[in-house]
Amino acid sequence: MSSSHYREIAESILQGRKTATAIAPVSADFPQLSIDDAYQIQSIVNQRRLDEGGRVVGYKIGLTSEAVQQQLGVDQPDYGVLFADMEVLSGESVDCSGLIAPKAEGEIGFCFKEDLDKDNLTFMELLSAIDYFFPVIEIVDSVVADWKIGIVDTIADNASSALYMPGKRIFSPQGVDFEALAVAIHSNNECVASGRGSACLGSPLLSAYWLAKKLIELSTPIRKGQIVLSGALAPMVSLIPGQQYSFRFEGLDEISLKAE
């Protein structure tokens, strides 16, 4: 595809986000779009945010569930960029009026104490570079109407990222069984979803390792102090204004969120 097509699609995504108005699936209007094309569009979308003063603080990983990958007909996760203004503090209300169809996921985040820029990065090098981990709610929101997305739709839309709410506590990764980490999501005191770390590419660590290697290949490595949201431990839940949500990470933390 030509650069003009990339810009055209990027502008439609940016306008949809600005006005909180859903758009038709990009993949329907441009069926020839490849995954590489979609990342080119994502780059244009995110460059606009940088030009407007945005600051990158890390990355998020999506499509880490095998079931979701099968649903979209893909065999790999995707990623998007996190900006500083996407952070919401634990316990704060989330204003849904500026979003389109927000959903929330319980995840594990990592912060790194050194650059992950070594060629042929090993898994043990990734482990040694983790400063701490933390439970986190990611609020995802597709610009595509009714979440009727394919892989290129979500990639172009910065992996459907919107906001993230880290917990108030951080933890050492030493000796932690990340596959067994569990979350239960409650809405108005009723459990609506639950899951474990094994649902996230087998482990949140393996998910973070996939991204670290991918970004090294692209010459945009994860940097010291940046965070990575490693993907959902449980099915995402829709945010309904007026409802209270509690993400209970077993043995770690509980994060409360109120949708408004």
Side-chain angles (χ1 to χ4, degrees), residues 6 22 45 65 85 94 101 111 126 129 162 173 177 183 201 214 220-221 248:
Y6 292 157
V45 170
S65 161
D85 62 1
V94 172
C111 183
L126 174 90
D177 182 356
V183 65
L201 283 187
K214 179 72 172 178
T220 56
R248 302 172 186 174

Side-chain angles (χ1 to χ4, degrees), residues 119-141:
D119 289 336
N120 300 316
L121 181 78
T122 69
F123 184 67
M124 294 305 295
E125 287 172 329
L126 174 90
L127 287 180
S128 68
I130 297 172
D131 192 6
Y132 57 84
F133 77 94
F134 55 97
V136 59
I137 300 173
E138 184 189 2
I139 298 158
V140 291
D141 184 38

Side-chain angles (χ1 to χ4, degrees), residues 157-233:
D157 185 28
N158 196 27
S160 304
S161 56
L163 304 167
Y164 68 94
M165 179 182 287
K168 295 179 179 178
R169 302 178 62 193
I170 60 175
F171 301 87
S172 167
Q174 300 301 316
V176 175
D177 182 356
F178 283 93
E179 293 180 30
L181 293 181
V183 65
I185 306 170
H186 290 73
S187 174
N188 293 343
N189 295 317
E190 177 185 353
C191 185
V192 292
S194 63
R196 293 185 177 273
S198 55
C200 178
L201 283 187
S203 166
L205 288 173
L206 293 175
S207 180
Y209 185 44
W210 170 83
L211 179 65
K213 292 191 294 182
K214 179 72 172 178
L215 293 179
I216 289 169
E217 290 176 10
L218 298 173
S219 299
T220 56
I222 297 165
R223 295 299 184 186
K224 177 182 177 180
Q226 289 188 330
I227 62 172
V228 168
L229 309 188
S230 58
L233 309 189

Side-chain angles (χ1 to χ4, degrees), residues 10 23 31 55 86-87 93 100-102 131 140 144 161 170 176 227:
I23 67 173
R55 181 171 62 86
M86 293 168 64
E87 183 187 76
S93 298
I100 297 168
D131 192 6
V140 291
V144 172
S161 56
I170 60 175
V176 175
I227 62 172

